[in-house]
Amino acid sequence: MKTEDFIQRTFELAKLGHGRTFPNPMVGAVIVKNQSIIGEGHHKGYGKPHAEVEAFNNCTESPEGSTLYVNLEPCCHTNKQTPPCAQRIIKEKIKKVIICNLDPNPEVNGKGVELLRQNGIEVEYGVLKEDGEKLNEVFFFSQQKRLPFVHLKLASSLDGKIALPSGESKWITGSVARHFVHNLRAQNQAILVGAETIRKDDPKLNVRLEHFSGEQPYRIIFTRSGNLPQSSQVFSDELMSKTIIFTEKKIDIHLPSENIILIKDISEALHFLYERKLIALFLEGGSNLATTFLRNQHVNRLSLFLNPSLLGSGKNAIEDLGISLLDQRPTLQQIESRWMGEDLLLSGRLK
C-alpha cells in the first residue's frame, strides 16, 4: 500500500465518528510496521480518547519504530478534556508521522509537528490535503471564522417551487430523498427553521432513522413576530429542552427562559451558537429564512433535492436576494450530484 492508501484509510476511520465529534474534528489514525497495519482507531465522540490513542490501544504488537498515519495534526496543548497526542506519540517511540492536514486551531497549527520533530520524529504533512479539508469542512470553517458552518437544504420542483399556492408541500420529493435528509440531520448539531414552518407544518425536527443511537439535534426556530403556537410539537415533546427560539420580540411560550433569546439579527444568533459550541447547523427553511441567510452570506453548503416535476405557480424556494448584477450571484463550487430515487441531489460549497 502507498502513503495515499493509508491516508485514505484514516478518512474511512474518521467518518465513523460523523456527527458525534463536534465541536471536535473527525480523525482517524493508522499505525503501520513493516508495511502491515498493527493498530488503528478513530475519535468516537467529544470528550472521548483521540484517534491516535485509540490506535495505540488497539495495537497487536509494540508500535516502536512504526509509522503513524493520521488525517489531522496531533494535538500538543493541554487546554482540553483529553491528554495531548503528540506526547503519547513520542512516548511510544514512533519513527515517522504522516499527516494529511495541519490543525487550524491556533493552539496547535504546526506546534504539534514542531514538537514531534524536536524529539527526533520524522514528519510529513499535506498528503491528500484538499480531501482532508473537505472531510472536516465544518471544523476548518469554524476554527478559521469563529462561526458555525451552515448547510442549507432545499427541495423543489424543476421550476423552483417548494409548495403549491395553497401551501401544500407534502411531498415535493420522494421517500429516498426524505430518508437521506434524516442522515443529514444526524450529521449536524442543530436543525434551523423559520416560524412559518412551525405554524404550517408542525414538524418534529428530529432524526427518525432505524438504529439511530446518536444525540438528537437541537431544534432552533427564528421568528420576527414571536407568533408561535404553543401547541406545536417542538414545545411539548420529549425534546422540548433542546428547542431554542431566536426572536426579535418578546414571546410568551412554555419553554425555559434561557431557551428564548432576543436578537437583533442573524449574525448575533450565530455568534451565540458558536459560543455554545454548536458549529454544525442544518438549515431546512422556509424560503424566508433561507433567503435571509443567503442575503447575509451565512450559508456555507447548499444541498438541493430537485424533483423532475413542474408546479407552474406556488411558493418559491428562494425569494429576492437583492442581486443587480450576474457576478453578484451566489455560486456553487466543488459540486457533487447523484440520484436519490426519483430526485436529483446537487450539493456544493457556496462561494
Side-chain angles (χ1 to χ4, degrees):
M1 293 177 69
K2 299 185 296 184
T3 294
E4 290 79 5
D5 296 325
F6 289 121
I7 290 295
Q8 284 285 3
R9 178 58 184 161
T10 70
F11 294 163
E12 294 171 5
L13 292 165
K15 290 175 184 177
L16 296 175
H18 207 161
R20 301 173 186 268
T21 64
F22 296 126
N24 289 348
M26 294 177 281
V27 183
V30 176
I31 301 171
V32 177
K33 195 171 189 178
N34 299 322
Q35 281 299 300
S36 296
I37 295 176
I38 64 168
E40 56 184 29
H42 71 281
H43 184 35
K44 296 179 180 177
Y46 181 67
K48 295 183 178 180
H50 285 188
E52 299 93 325
V53 174
E54 290 279 3
F56 284 126
N57 292 343
N58 293 332
C59 275
T60 56
E61 59 180 278
S62 169
E64 182 176 350
S66 299
T67 297
L68 170 69
Y69 296 83
V70 63
N71 64 294
L72 195 72
E73 178 183 10
C75 60
C76 58
H77 60 95
T78 55
N79 184 24
K80 59 213 312 285
Q81 292 186 343
T82 50
C85 296
Q87 284 85 336
R88 177 69 183 268
I89 294 168
I90 295 165
K91 178 182 176 182
E92 296 288 355
K93 299 181 179 179
I94 290 293
K95 181 180 180 180
K96 184 175 182 178
V97 177
I98 298 179
I99 302 164
C100 173
N101 297 117
L102 293 182
D103 192 329
N105 184 340
E107 292 185 321
V108 186
N109 199 229
K111 297 183 181 69
V113 169
E114 182 181 357
L115 179 61
L116 294 174
R117 286 174 171 168
Q118 287 173 351
N119 284 271
I121 297 174
E122 184 182 350
V123 181
E124 178 184 345
Y125 62 85
V127 181
L128 300 180
K129 179 176 178 287
E130 292 182 359
D131 293 336
E133 290 175 351
K134 182 179 178 182
L135 172 68
N136 276 308
E137 63 181 2
V138 173
F139 177 73
F140 272 76
F141 178 84
S142 69
Q143 286 293 321
Q144 293 162 353
K145 301 297 184 181
R146 297 294 188 239
L147 284 170
F149 184 97
V150 178
H151 184 167
L152 169 61
K153 183 270 291 186
L154 296 174
S156 79
S157 60
L158 286 176
D159 49 350
K161 306 299 181 182
I162 61 173
L164 291 170
S166 64
E168 181 184 350
S169 62
K170 292 185 178 180
W171 297 101
I172 292 290
T173 55
S175 59
V176 176
R178 297 198 302 273
H179 182 270
F180 186 73
V181 167
H182 282 273
N183 284 283
L184 294 178
R185 287 180 175 183
Q187 295 168 12
N188 285 273
Q189 293 172 285
I191 301 168
L192 280 57
V193 298
E196 184 179 9
T197 297
I198 298 297
R199 289 191 293 265
K200 286 188 174 181
D201 298 338
D202 189 21
K204 288 186 68 70
L205 300 178
N206 60 359
V207 178
R208 298 188 294 279
L209 292 173
E210 189 176 5
H211 307 307
F212 174 70
S213 59
E215 288 282 332
Q216 285 285 349
Y218 282 82
R219 292 91 61 93
I220 299 177
I221 302 159
F222 287 82
T223 176
R224 288 193 175 96
S225 66
N227 178 19
L228 289 166
Q230 177 66 63
S231 59
S232 302
Q233 296 184 84
V234 292
F235 304 137
S236 58
D237 64 11
E238 69 280 3
L239 296 172
M240 61 179 292
S241 63
K242 300 190 78 170
T243 299
I244 296 174
I245 300 173
F246 286 111
T247 177
E248 295 181 15
K249 294 183 179 179
K250 289 186 178 181
I251 184 172
D252 182 18
I253 205 158
H254 183 60
L255 277 182
S257 58
E258 62 269 22
N259 288 27
I260 304 174
I261 301 115
L262 280 169
I263 58 168
K264 297 176 182 177
D265 53 35
I266 295 291
S267 180
E268 189 176 351
L270 292 177
H271 283 287
F272 178 95
L273 294 171
Y274 176 81
E275 291 299 321
R276 281 148 186 81
K277 298 182 178 181
L278 294 175
I279 64 168
L281 310 181
F282 191 51
L283 174 56
E284 291 204 41
S287 62
N288 291 336
L289 187 63
T291 300
T292 300
F293 268 79
L294 286 166
R295 285 187 69 128
N296 288 278
Q297 300 181 15
H298 285 313
V299 175
N300 307 107
R301 175 169 287 277
L302 170 62
S303 289
L304 169 63
F305 294 86
L306 198 60
N307 184 265
S309 62
L310 300 167
L311 295 186
S313 61
K315 184 72 172 175
N316 291 325
I318 299 296
E319 303 298 337
D320 179 22
L321 292 176
I323 296 170
S324 56
L325 298 171
L326 281 177
D327 61 8
Q328 295 175 341
R329 56 187 165 167
T331 306
L332 284 187
Q333 298 178 324
Q334 304 170 18
I335 301 171
E336 297 177 359
S337 63
R338 54 176 152 159
W339 286 99
M340 292 281 171
E342 63 193 79
D343 304 295
L344 177 64
L345 169 62
L346 297 173
S347 185
R349 288 293 298 268
L350 212 61
K351 181 180 177 181

